Amino acid sequence: MLYNPSIETLPLAKLRQLQSERLRALVNRLYEKVPFYRQQFTVAGLMPGDIKGIEDLRRLPFTRKADLRDNYPYGMFATPMEEVRRIHASSGTTGKPTVVGYNQHDLGVFNEVVARSLVAAGARPGMRLHNAYGYGLFTGGLGMHGGATRLGMAVIPVSGGMTDRQLTILQDFSPEVICCTPSYAQTLAAECAKRGIDPATLSTRYAVLGAEPWTEAIRQQVEAGLQVSATNIYGLSEIMGPGVSQEDVDEKGTGSYIWEDHFFPEVVDRETGQPLPYGEEGVLVFTTLTKQTFPLLRYWTNDICSLHYDPNGKRTHIKMAAIKGRADDMLIIRGVNLFYTQVEEVIEQMDFLVPNYRLIVTREGTMDQVEVQVEVAPGLDAANPDLAAALSQKIKNTIGLSMKISLQAPGSIPGSEGGKLSRVEDRR
Ligand code: ADP
């Protein structure tokens, strides 16, 4: 089942036509309504009429997080405040939060893309959704809630945290679908194991996980620990919230569909800003083609990934690979660039480890040191030096860095208590 088959399988030429029409309308609106954009156009020597189609997008300047901060809180809104029906803010993971707004039309689009995403993840009308994303300023909770309601699901608005209660609800309310951060899904799986709850007795079949980077290692752990099929959902408040892209449950590991009739993606070179060919890794940039209250042109997300079309996919829309990390979370260790997800990928290959881990970065003199703290699988001895040596060697061979390895007993590394988990402690 697809939620909106005609649009999700729209032939590419038609999709481009639709995107071009929408972009032309957007540019006109921004020029007229948002002083920031009018000035951006003037500086670039452009008039709205110069943008004839999606192929002209690259002539436009980027919008960056700093621009949103400079126009805090409402300077980027393109509709009168009386029209605004909801205000959210980014989680503030990196600095001061940015404020975003939605009118009724925008909330309709939000519901639509989340409904499409839930269907792609395996959810169906009539199922129950255990929504463990945080409700509040964070877009996760209410975003998933609205889309699930639109789809015709019964939403259980649990929100994040209070793990005891989450487990009771999972057992007693029999939801077929759960959504939360991947790190919190790890916590829930670990708690089930600790309390002797057999995941086979739970009704949960699908998990929709996002809001932070994760890899196959966590997928395997969560799928086994909760007996679900887990897919990736991606989004950011500036562009909409969750549901900008979603992995299909039958196409796991091949990337997440970006709903490109609403969000036009580009991947650009981090240094030069030049658009990169499909398959190459760079910074993800989005243009919101249909949003009315808080539309953005070429928004520099800072998330690192690549784009590709999948000829074997059920849909025609473009896919994005899993996010490696945020550009500003990239660690530079003795001249080598490092995302923590690279360590997670190595952990996946070591069957004596589970992906409960964190990295501690320190500086001794002028030397940066990374300590990898990671749990061994249940029943194994964390003090066994052969295990640490094997991990150390594997990291050296794949990442090219020597790291200090500190294996830990199962259950000893703190996990997510409900939301996003910070896996790096940079003490430099
Ligand atoms: P904040 O930027 O303050 O965390 P948001 O809650 O809007 O605010 O978070 C959006 C960010 O979360 C994205 O830009 C991205 O870095 C991260 N993110 C969201 N979903 C995913 C995902 N599925 N995989 C990796 N990272 C994700």
Side-chain angles (χ1 to χ4, degrees):
M1 176 186 165
L2 307 187
Y3 180 72
N4 190 342
S6 58
I7 202 81
E8 291 176 49
T9 61
L10 198 65
L12 212 52
K14 290 235 165 80
L15 201 49
R16 289 285 175 270
Q17 213 179 327
L18 181 68
Q19 290 165 334
S20 291
E21 278 164 28
R22 290 179 167 177
L23 179 66
R24 285 194 297 269
L26 171 71
V27 163
N28 276 315
R29 220 172 43 245
L30 287 176
Y31 187 81
E32 218 176 285
K33 312 265 189 213
V34 185
F36 165 78
Y37 276 117
R38 181 186 285 251
Q39 199 196 347
Q40 291 274 87
F41 283 39
T42 309
V43 170
L46 289 170
M47 288 301 286
D50 295 328
I51 305 302
K52 303 210 163 31
I54 206 77
E55 62 288 351
D56 291 324
L57 189 62
R58 59 177 63 193
R59 299 176 64 189
L60 295 166
F62 296 109
T63 309
R64 295 180 188 259
K65 191 142 192 138
D67 299 321
L68 308 187
R69 293 205 176 114
D70 291 346
N71 289 282
Y72 178 89
Y74 301 136
M76 302 290 276
F77 283 21
T79 56
M81 196 48 93
E82 306 80 70
E83 228 182 76
V84 177
R85 290 294 171 270
R86 198 189 298 163
I87 292 169
H88 277 292
S90 76
S91 327
T93 310
T94 48
K96 196 171 176 181
T98 43
V99 176
V100 302
Y102 309 77
N103 68 3
Q104 201 59 46
H105 164 272
D106 300 332
L107 290 174
V109 174
F110 200 174
N111 290 341
E112 155 90 21
V113 294
V114 171
R116 284 187 208 173
S117 299
L118 282 164
V119 169
R124 295 290 179 270
M127 289 184 176
R128 283 170 289 262
L129 175 70
H130 178 119
N131 188 2
Y133 277 121
Y135 280 68
L137 280 180
F138 173 55
T139 48
L142 281 169
M144 296 307 293
H145 188 113
T149 307
R150 162 75 72 87
L151 177 59
M153 300 181 79
V155 187
I156 311 168
V158 198
S159 198
M162 295 204 270
T163 303
D164 278 342
R165 194 177 66 175
Q166 304 269 355
L167 293 177
T168 306
I169 290 170
L170 275 176
Q171 288 176 286
D172 296 352
F173 290 24
S174 35
E176 291 88 348
V177 187
I178 180 168
C179 58
C180 59
T181 60
S183 57
Y184 196 52
Q186 289 182 283
T187 299
L188 292 173
E191 281 301 315
C192 281
K194 207 154 106 191
R195 295 166 197 221
I197 301 171
D198 176 1
T201 62
L202 300 175
S203 55
T204 330
R205 287 159 57 198
Y206 303 104
V208 195
L209 309 180
E212 63 188 359
W214 60 303
T215 70
E216 294 300 321
I218 292 179
R219 185 181 341 245
Q220 285 167 17
Q221 190 194 29
V222 169
E223 290 195 334
L226 291 175
Q227 300 255 311
V228 288
S229 190
T231 52
N232 181 49
I233 188 162
Y234 166 87
L236 63 167
S237 49
E238 295 91 324
I239 299 305
M240 184 60 95
V244 171
S245 80
Q246 167 69 42
E247 195 176 25
D248 187 280
V249 69
D250 299 322
E251 300 171 20
K252 283 191 284 192
T254 66
S256 303
Y257 286 107
I258 296 173
W259 306 121
E260 58 166 314
D261 51 323
H262 294 294
F263 316 115
F264 187 84
E266 299 170 87
V267 161
V268 305
D269 183 280
R270 257 187 91 168
E271 307 297 331
T272 64
Q274 282 307 309
L276 294 173
Y278 297 141
E280 279 189 34
E281 205 165 76
V283 176
L284 189 57
V285 167
F286 280 108
T287 296
T288 64
L289 294 173
T290 52
K291 258 200 320 181
Q292 295 182 352
T293 292
F294 190 79
L296 293 176
L297 279 179
R298 304 193 85 199
Y299 182 66
W300 188 280
T301 65
N302 237 350
D303 291 327
I304 304 290
C305 80
S306 62
L307 300 172
H308 64 277
Y309 281 99
D310 180 356
N312 302 317
K314 292 178 199 166
R315 301 170 181 80
T316 48
H317 294 219
I318 201 163
K319 285 181 169 178
M320 57 184 258
I323 301 278
K324 229 169 166 176
R326 298 184 200 228
D328 44 10
D329 286 344
M330 189 183 74
L331 298 164
I332 302 178
I333 308 293
R334 304 193 289 275
V336 177
N337 296 346
L338 176 72
F339 287 104
Y340 67 79
T341 49
Q342 291 173 268
V343 175
E344 193 173 302
E345 278 167 357
V346 176
I347 290 172
E348 189 207 339
Q349 297 167 40
M350 314 302 276
D351 56 9
F352 57 87
L353 298 176
V354 287
N356 300 343
Y357 70 100
R358 64 183 171 194
L359 309 185
I360 314 284
V361 187
T362 51
R363 181 168 289 157
E364 287 159 29
T366 55
M367 279 293 267
D368 294 321
Q369 287 288 354
V370 180
E371 177 182 334
V372 182
Q373 300 183 345
V374 54
E375 291 178 12
V376 293
L380 295 181
D381 177 13
N384 179 347
D386 294 344
L387 301 183
L391 176 60
S392 169
Q393 192 60 47
K394 189 85 183 170
I395 287 179
K396 179 100 185 77
N397 292 345
T398 35
I399 301 176
L401 279 171
S402 298
M403 296 186 192
K404 185 175 167 203
I405 307 297
S406 165
L407 299 186
Q408 314 264 327
S412 52
I413 294 182
S416 162
E417 290 177 1
K420 304 189 192 221
L421 178 67
S422 171
R423 298 208 184 256
V424 179
E425 200 181 308
D426 196 338
R427 297 186 184 153
R428 290 176 292 181

